[in-house]
Amino acid sequence: DVQLVESGGGSVQAGGSLRLSCKASGYTYNGVCMGWFRQTPGKGLEGVAVIFTGGPTPSSIYYADSVKGRFTISRNNGENTVYLQMDSLQPDDTGVYICAADRYPCPPYWTDYGWYVDRGQGTQVTVS
């Protein structure tokens, strides 16, 4: 069975940084679209960033406009892990961050949470 395990959430002051990790296990093929959604009190469920893990170099990288220039998504294929470096955090970034993945390159409609078959439990990020 596929499992996605998130880590790295916590509490930070505005302007601070956090790095989230999502480690995948159980995939038997190379290349999945993997990334982050967040559930926030004000906006509901929102796509944050995704990356395609297949191929020699990172590709199919998408960001929400609200995090461009502040968040960076990256991958470590040897560890089956995707990272989300979050800098210049603001109170609006507070929420539960959920890792999601599916076995295809990231599509243009990557913000559709229902498209992702595999999902983690989520990790809390609080910015005050």
Side-chain angles (χ1 to χ4, degrees):
D1 291 346
V2 171
Q3 278 195 319
L4 302 176
V5 179
E6 303 104 329
S7 61
S11 297
V12 66
Q13 291 188 334
S17 298
L18 286 172
R19 188 175 83 154
L20 305 182
S21 300
C22 177
K23 185 172 178 64
S25 61
Y27 285 117
T28 58
Y29 40 79
N30 290 327
V32 297
C33 178
M34 194 162 158
W36 298 90
F37 284 74
R38 64 186 180 188
Q39 182 80 42
T40 63
K43 297 183 181 178
L45 190 62
E46 176 188 24
V48 177
V50 295
I51 187 169
F52 181 58
T53 65
T57 58
S59 63
S60 295
I61 299 174
Y62 294 97
Y63 292 98
D65 288 344
S66 59
V67 306
K68 283 180 182 176
R70 300 189 299 124
F71 292 10
T72 304
I73 192 167
S74 61
R75 68 183 198 183
N76 182 330
N77 285 2
E79 297 290 330
N80 295 321
T81 300
V82 167
Y83 302 98
L84 185 68
Q85 177 67 40
M86 305 186 294
D87 298 319
S88 301
L89 283 161
Q90 300 301 316
D92 282 352
D93 296 315
T94 294
V96 177
Y97 283 68
I98 304 165
C99 182
D102 205 302
R103 56 172 294 184
Y104 299 101
C106 301
Y109 48 88
W110 66 276
T111 57
D112 181 358
Y113 187 65
W115 179 80
Y116 298 84
V117 171
D118 302 308
R119 302 159 187 181
Q121 293 298 309
T123 185
Q124 177 70 43
V125 171
T126 302
V127 185
S128 59

